Amino acid sequence: MVSTNSQDEARAARRIYDQRLRASLEKSHMDEFVAIEPLSGEHFLGQTLSEAIGASRTKYPDRLAHALRVGHQAAIHFGMRN
């Protein structure tokens, strides 16, 4: 189960993405991964989910980052496409 604190951080990161990052990232970094550290508002890009999260953890090892795939609703998708 996800804690209330984690849910709050995920919502804060999503707001940062929607309000500050979406327009510019979707122009130049479509389909890449972005990890957003919600307390600082900083974001970290990577070609893989691991790269984006790793960059965030390097700078903020004791903080959680929320990861998204630029231009998608979720970082990863499971299942088949129709």
Side-chain angles (χ1 to χ4, degrees):
M1 178 142 94
V2 179
S3 72
T4 302
N5 190 39
S6 293
Q7 290 174 347
D8 290 343
E9 289 177 357
R11 278 192 290 274
R14 179 52 105 165
R15 270 192 306 277
I16 291 167
Y17 179 79
D18 289 338
Q19 294 172 0
R20 293 191 233 164
L21 302 173
R22 179 188 299 274
S24 64
L25 292 181
E26 289 184 3
K27 286 180 184 174
S28 57
H29 296 282
M30 187 63 102
D31 297 326
E32 292 182 29
F33 292 89
V34 61
I36 302 167
E37 195 290 302
L39 295 176
S40 68
E42 286 190 70
H43 69 283
F44 305 86
L45 291 166
Q47 292 295 314
T48 66
L49 180 61
S50 182
E51 285 178 8
I53 292 292
S56 175
R57 297 281 304 193
T58 296
K59 184 153 186 186
Y60 298 106
D62 298 327
R63 297 185 192 175
L64 291 176
H66 181 70
L68 301 146
R69 191 159 191 194
V70 176
H72 298 264
Q73 288 297 312
I76 54 175
H77 301 275
F78 295 98
M80 296 174 44
R81 288 186 178 208
N82 293 328

